Amino acid sequence: MIKLSHITSYITCPRLCYYRLHFEDEVFTEMNAVREIYLSFRRGFDLKWAEERAKALYGNFDYEVFKKASEKFVYREIGLKTVEWDTVLKSERLEVVMTIDEIVSDGQREFPLFLSLNSPEEGIWFKDAIKAGIAGIIAGYDESKIYYAYSGELRDVEVSYGIKRKALKLIERVKMIKKGFLPERRESEYCKFCSFKEDCKAKPETFASKFL
């Protein structure tokens, strides 16, 4: 099955998606830390509990990464009731599985809530729209919420036809990578932090990479 993280990795870098699909990525990230911090606070626990959860759940736990994330984390009450945590959605037809961080309710409707780090000046990031789009395709949600952990902002995503179309296109590309297609190498700021940097440099491009 293709995971949501594989699809969002493709948005960051198609080759990152390739390596995460075919090899283990053992780096503990700020996103991992933020998720445990947010869920602990929402449940009424403190930062120490979030740290203990992260240590227990991630064999690659990195205290410095956790500390950095906790210093930037901003928690605000969002005025929505928790319905469920860690909801797993799966589509056998699409061969996609995703975890929704939290299902929330305003008393009338339920919405998926996804966590993200830094917020854009306006609107939402493309990768966050894609998360909402995939939840819409699999489970029929027409709106999602994004909690930006480093600003404490909650923003809405309406799941339009256009978002669903882009999400499906990304799923198709990731499926090709899963079959073994190696994407073209692209230089970006992310390369400085990528745990697959050296392998990527050494991996030659193929003609097929031009089609991804």
Side-chain angles (χ1 to χ4, degrees):
M1 299 288 281
I2 294 168
K3 298 178 182 178
L4 178 62
S5 60
H6 296 144
I7 298 167
T8 55
S9 292
Y10 184 96
I11 296 169
T12 300
C13 172
R15 277 212 172 187
L16 176 62
C17 174
Y18 173 88
Y19 282 106
R20 284 184 171 168
L21 268 167
H22 296 284
F23 305 94
E24 291 293 328
D25 188 357
E26 298 183 355
V27 176
F28 181 78
T29 67
E30 287 185 44
M31 192 68 241
N32 297 142
V34 156
R35 188 171 187 276
E36 298 311 320
I37 295 168
Y38 174 85
L39 293 178
S40 292
F41 284 7
R42 280 286 280 171
R43 290 166 171 155
F45 297 106
D46 58 13
L47 187 62
K48 187 61 180 176
W49 179 248
E51 182 183 336
E52 291 304 316
R53 273 184 56 86
K55 286 178 180 177
L57 294 173
Y58 299 91
N60 55 358
F61 177 79
D62 186 322
Y63 177 72
E64 291 304 318
V65 172
F66 183 89
K67 182 181 177 184
K68 184 178 179 182
S70 67
E71 288 171 350
K72 293 188 284 185
F73 187 88
V74 177
Y75 182 71
R76 291 196 178 101
E77 292 294 338
I78 60 174
L80 297 169
K81 181 181 177 181
T82 300
V83 176
E84 192 175 350
W85 312 99
D86 293 334
T87 302
V88 177
L89 300 181
K90 183 184 293 185
S91 170
E92 298 292 345
R93 177 174 56 86
L94 296 176
E95 299 176 21
V96 172
V97 62
M98 71 186 303
T99 299
I100 297 173
D101 296 311
E102 185 180 9
I103 301 290
V104 296
S105 172
D106 63 2
Q108 297 181 334
R109 300 170 61 201
E110 294 183 2
F111 309 92
L113 182 147
F114 296 99
L115 296 169
S116 195
L117 300 182
N118 295 294
S119 57
E121 289 187 12
E122 295 181 0
I124 55 162
W125 297 117
F126 176 65
K127 69 175 181 178
D128 296 326
I130 292 301
K131 294 176 188 177
I134 296 172
I137 292 168
I138 296 177
Y141 291 109
D142 58 9
E143 185 178 330
S144 288
K145 310 289 184 182
I146 309 294
Y147 186 89
Y148 286 102
Y150 291 164
S151 64
E153 295 178 77
L154 186 70
R155 298 186 182 180
D156 299 333
V157 190
E158 289 188 14
V159 182
S160 64
Y161 168 82
I163 288 176
K164 288 182 180 180
R165 189 169 179 273
K166 290 173 181 176
L168 287 169
K169 188 175 182 179
L170 284 168
I171 290 169
E172 290 169 357
R173 289 181 174 178
V174 174
K175 280 187 175 184
M176 290 178 68
I177 292 173
K178 188 178 180 183
K179 291 177 181 178
F181 284 84
L182 177 67
E184 186 175 3
R185 188 170 182 272
R186 304 175 188 175
E187 288 284 347
S188 72
E189 284 297 309
Y190 183 82
C191 294
K192 298 176 184 177
F193 315 103
C194 183
S195 57
F196 299 110
K197 178 170 57 178
E198 297 306 319
D199 290 325
C200 184
K201 284 181 180 179
K203 198 85 169 176
E205 293 180 1
T206 64
F207 177 74
S209 72
K210 305 296 182 183
F211 300 95
L212 288 169

